[in-house]
Amino acid sequence: MAETKTNAMRILDRAKIKYEMHTYPHTEGEAVDGMNVAKLTGQDPVKVYKTLVTRGASNPSKNFYVFVIPVAKELDLKKAAKAVGEKSVEMIHVKEINGITGYIRGGCSPVGMKKQFKTTFHEDVNALDTVVFSGGKIGLQIEAAPADIIRLINGQTADICY
């Protein structure tokens, strides 16, 4: 395959985790919302997840948390804070995404960030055989077994959505 591997794909390969790639058409540098990603890749939106990065109140310059939720749902900041043991969390500003994660908006993967932050998947993922998430760039999604991904990134699951 001529496609260049992303950092997320290289990490999955090194860990010998089986995955499938899905691509979708997009305008270069322009993020596509998750529901459209599901439609463009022909995937059930129930198993397509988006990656959100937040900042914890206890140490806003250092405590970042990643939440991975179904594209059709919204993150409940109170539940999210409780899941990571924070008094509160807030979304980081879009312009901070690259500096904190190494990824761009619309291409942020829970695998392969600059630093491995505490990562929580919405608990619905436990009922899925596979989950689809960003492959590390706009236009690329990765599908893999949720248990493999959660184990790889030392993640957890919790009820974090409305």
Side-chain angles (χ1 to χ4, degrees):
M1 182 174 87
E3 176 97 22
T4 304
K5 294 231 176 195
T6 64
N7 196 33
M9 294 160 65
R10 286 189 291 273
I11 290 168
L12 292 171
D13 288 344
R14 269 197 307 274
K16 297 184 178 5
I17 292 176
K18 190 175 137 199
Y19 65 92
E20 188 176 334
M21 290 180 3
H22 301 283
T23 58
Y24 59 91
H26 65 285
T27 304
E28 195 58 41
E30 188 176 308
V32 178
D33 75 84
M35 289 299 286
N36 278 322
V37 168
K39 188 184 303 179
L40 290 167
T41 58
Q43 298 296 316
D44 181 346
V46 166
K47 72 180 200 172
V48 179
Y49 278 49
K50 57 188 171 185
T51 305
L52 305 172
V53 184
T54 65
R55 168 181 283 114
S58 66
N59 190 344
S61 64
K62 293 191 178 182
N63 288 358
F64 297 100
Y65 301 96
V66 176
F67 297 98
V68 190
I69 67 171
V71 296
K73 294 197 176 188
E74 295 295 322
L75 182 66
D76 182 322
L77 293 174
K78 288 183 180 179
K79 288 180 179 179
K82 183 178 179 188
V84 295
E86 282 280 353
K87 183 177 178 179
S88 66
V89 294
E90 65 182 21
M91 297 299 297
I92 64 168
H93 195 280
V94 171
K95 67 182 179 195
E96 296 178 283
I97 291 173
N98 184 259
I100 293 168
T101 69
Y103 288 124
I104 62 168
R105 178 177 178 262
C108 193
S109 178
V111 177
M113 291 188 185
K114 283 182 177 181
K115 181 179 179 217
Q116 186 59 62
F117 301 109
K118 185 169 192 167
T119 302
T120 305
F121 281 74
H122 183 58
E123 65 188 7
D124 289 357
V125 79
N126 293 322
L128 301 175
D129 291 333
T130 61
V131 63
V132 179
F133 55 91
S134 175
K137 68 180 186 177
I138 298 171
L140 176 68
Q141 296 287 112
I142 289 174
E143 181 175 2
D148 289 344
I149 302 305
I150 292 166
R151 187 172 38 256
L152 174 69
I153 62 174
N154 198 25
Q156 64 180 8
T157 62
D159 177 12
I160 54 173
C161 291
Y162 289 111

